[in-house]
Amino acid sequence: MLRGNRRKIIAMVLTMTMLSGCGAANQTNEVSHNVEEDVILSAFIQQSVSSDSGIWYGWAAQKLYEDTNIKVDFYATGTQVEQKLKQYIAAGTLPDIIGFKDLDQAQMAMDAGLLLPLDDYKEQLPAIFETKEYQKAIAYTQEYASDDTGKLYIMPTSIGPVSSNAYNWMPLLQWDAYKKVGSPGIETLEDYLDVVEKMVKAKPLTDQGEEVYGFSLFSDWDKYSALEIAALSFFYGIDTEYVSPLMETDVVNNETNSILRDNSIYKRALKFYFSANQRGLLDPDSRTQSYSNLEKKYSEGRIMFSWFSWLTGTYNDISSGYVNNEKQPDGYMNIPADDMKIYEAPDQTIGRNWYFAISKNCKYIDKALEFVNWIYDPEVEQYLYNGPEGCVWELGSDGEPKVTQEGWDIIDHKTEDIMPLSEGGSLQDGIYPFNALGFQASTVMEDGYTISYRYWPSSRGPRDTLAQKEVNEMLGTGTIAEYLYENDMVAKSSMAVNMIPTASDEMKSKIGAIGEVVRDISWKMVYAEDEKQFEELWDDMVTKAQSLGMDQVEAYYREAWEAALEKASAYE
């Protein structure tokens, strides 16, 4: 999302050039906002990890202002977001609107008495309390995530069904280099080492002469483990994030165990990256670089392997010129190993553990409530997902919404696109500052169509890129979802992963102390001199963690997981 001076310049240019289409139609309504005094609300949205800060501008912010006379001043999140949150809580001065990215964060604010009970203001929040799809999420949160008060201090996001073909964790390889080495079969995780090594030899430098690495990591998001290393567990249907980063929760067998077991996927993942480093395939900046720096490397095509379906930088964007290159189609493409069971998120009847809340000390309580009501309004969310009618999409004579050809140009060329409105910006700006809205993108609305254009019938047509078509041909299916299901390679998760209560202060203290040890030694293991040192470091980590209470932590989460499975049955 562009903010500050750059966004203002774009807005001025667009206004002066008087863009045609829906922009012209919109300009007639620019002054139709209320006469009441403008209000600026501060917002600290941790779900959106960004160094951007400042007043929100663009077509979506314009609608907010026209509807409510509210402007939003986003505070930068970026690195060390939890430390920033703790500083706000310690000072008792939370920003007006807060986005929490897990229940532990929200619990800290509730314990400090800094959040507004939303259910005391039901009349001002009809979008939340009168929308039927939100009611189970509200009831669950009041009962199990309210600091035992029965109040609604935090409102979940991403409520609704998970779409098929939406896999967050997916092994990706740079397609052209993979083809150049013969598109070899990959049976296990470890096979990527041999394949990627050949790929780097086939493409040691980018076209710009920059060094290419097989693998690269970052540590911005580490909490109690090396999180991006642990993320490989999701290739095998094992959660190492939502229940606890110190636990491996197998959603196929519904079992949870410590990541420090000798046969854990965490140790396997550490060994995987250790081996990559031994072969000279691991980016030496992995431990110290920021996420934004890593993303830039992906955009430049300097990394061969990715573990997130979306971690491609701009390399997969149509405008980058790779994925639809007729002579040499390229891009980061999904290539799962034969032994994998890719984690599929559960349908989110109660939402996921990302929340929005209002600071109890907000100066403009009424306007903050108006903003939260606005952001959870289904019609507003439909607008934020798709932009205004007539820009990216239009309603057919049969009542079916369809993306226009101009709309697909805007979507596909997202690095260049400017929404044809006086305030401009990209289509993604409606979602980007929040990362998640009240409804999942695949939620079906009253008109029978999903809230987001991505899952409309007309959007599911043959729009694959040339690179993806080649991958589909290799897999023998039309989509990666079809391939995974046909080959029994999907691990469907339970909503129980979102039903783990916050631990006691004593338990949190143990978890925090163990986390410091695990984070530190994990990275040392990746860069160990040899296997002997790797194993010595592992033994040292396990010994230290056990001395700090790892057995008690494991027992706590096993009990919490069993209880969560029982709770889930009432909401699924």
Side-chain angles (χ1 to χ4, degrees), residues 41-58:
L41 296 176
S42 58
F44 185 58
I45 310 299
Q46 296 165 92
Q47 299 96 312
S48 183
V49 180
S50 170
S51 58
D52 291 344
S53 62
I55 300 294
W56 187 27
Y57 289 96

Side-chain angles (χ1 to χ4, degrees), residues 223-225 246 258-260 507-522 541-542 544-554:
K223 192 170 184 181
Y224 304 126
S225 67
L246 293 177
S258 164
I259 65 171
L260 300 183
M507 186 60 66
K508 283 180 183 176
S509 179
K510 291 182 189 293
I511 292 168
I514 293 167
E516 287 186 22
V517 168
V518 172
R519 279 197 315 271
D520 180 54
I521 297 182
S522 291
M541 178 168 65
V542 171
K544 287 179 177 176
Q546 286 178 333
S547 72
L548 292 168
M550 187 63 204
D551 290 343
Q552 295 97 303
V553 171
E554 184 174 15

Side-chain angles (χ1 to χ4, degrees), residues 406-469:
E406 181 187 16
W408 283 122
D409 290 342
I410 289 174
I411 293 165
D412 290 341
H413 297 84
K414 63 183 179 183
T415 55
E416 303 169 0
D417 58 321
I418 299 298
M419 291 288 285
L421 288 165
S422 64
E423 286 290 328
S426 70
L427 175 61
Q428 287 73 26
D429 286 353
I431 307 296
Y432 179 82
F434 311 105
N435 205 346
L437 301 177
F439 278 130
Q440 291 266 38
S442 51
T443 300
V444 177
M445 308 305 289
E446 289 184 0
D447 61 3
Y449 299 100
T450 60
I451 195 168
S452 168
Y453 73 87
R454 284 182 283 164
Y455 306 108
W456 292 343
S458 58
S459 299
R460 295 178 178 178
R463 297 199 65 261
D464 285 333
T465 62
L466 294 179
Q468 189 62 56
K469 286 178 180 177

Side-chain angles (χ1 to χ4, degrees), residues 303-526:
I303 316 296
M304 287 297 178
F305 174 92
S306 176
W307 63 98
F308 283 138
S309 61
W310 46 266
L311 184 53
T312 62
T314 59
Y315 201 78
N316 279 19
D317 291 356
I318 301 291
S319 57
S320 293
Y322 297 110
V323 290
N324 276 334
N325 186 309
E326 293 186 4
K327 294 182 179 179
Q328 193 176 341
D330 197 11
Y332 290 98
M333 296 290 121
N334 37 257
I335 314 289
D338 295 343
D339 71 336
M340 290 181 172
K341 274 191 176 290
I342 305 295
Y343 181 97
E344 184 176 272
D347 291 336
Q348 309 283 12
T349 307
I350 64 164
R352 65 180 298 180
N353 285 345
W354 285 5
Y355 309 93
F356 287 119
I358 297 174
S359 169
K360 192 175 183 179
N361 298 321
C362 173
K363 182 179 178 182
Y364 305 104
I365 293 291
D366 288 343
K367 298 304 287 185
L369 289 163
E370 189 175 1
F371 171 77
V372 169
N373 188 71
W374 184 85
I375 203 73
Y376 277 92
D377 185 317
E379 290 187 7
V380 170
E381 293 194 8
Q382 200 165 29
Y383 187 94
L384 295 179
Y385 272 119
N386 309 306
E389 182 178 0
C391 289
V392 170
W393 64 281
E394 59 187 21
L395 205 60
S397 57
D398 57 357
E400 179 181 334
K402 297 178 181 180
V403 177
T404 63
Q405 185 54 55
E406 181 187 16
W408 283 122
D409 290 342
I410 289 174
I411 293 165
D412 290 341
H413 297 84
K414 63 183 179 183
T415 55
E416 303 169 0
D417 58 321
I418 299 298
M419 291 288 285
L421 288 165
S422 64
E423 286 290 328
S426 70
L427 175 61
Q428 287 73 26
D429 286 353
I431 307 296
Y432 179 82
F434 311 105
N435 205 346
L437 301 177
F439 278 130
Q440 291 266 38
S442 51
T443 300
V444 177
M445 308 305 289
E446 289 184 0
D447 61 3
Y449 299 100
T450 60
I451 195 168
S452 168
Y453 73 87
R454 284 182 283 164
Y455 306 108
W456 292 343
S458 58
S459 299
R460 295 178 178 178
R463 297 199 65 261
D464 285 333
T465 62
L466 294 179
Q468 189 62 56
K469 286 178 180 177
E470 290 187 352
V471 175
N472 292 347
E473 185 177 350
M474 181 188 75
L475 297 176
T477 56
T479 66
I480 185 61
E482 291 173 14
Y483 175 81
L484 294 176
Y485 271 98
E486 285 179 11
N487 291 280
D488 191 25
M489 295 172 66
V490 176
K492 180 68 174 179
S493 182
S494 164
M495 207 167 16
V497 297
N498 293 330
M499 294 180 167
I500 305 299
T502 56
S504 66
D505 289 343
E506 181 183 359
M507 186 60 66
K508 283 180 183 176
S509 179
K510 291 182 189 293
I511 292 168
I514 293 167
E516 287 186 22
V517 168
V518 172
R519 279 197 315 271
D520 180 54
I521 297 182
S522 291
W523 282 106
K524 289 179 180 177
M525 289 175 67
V526 170

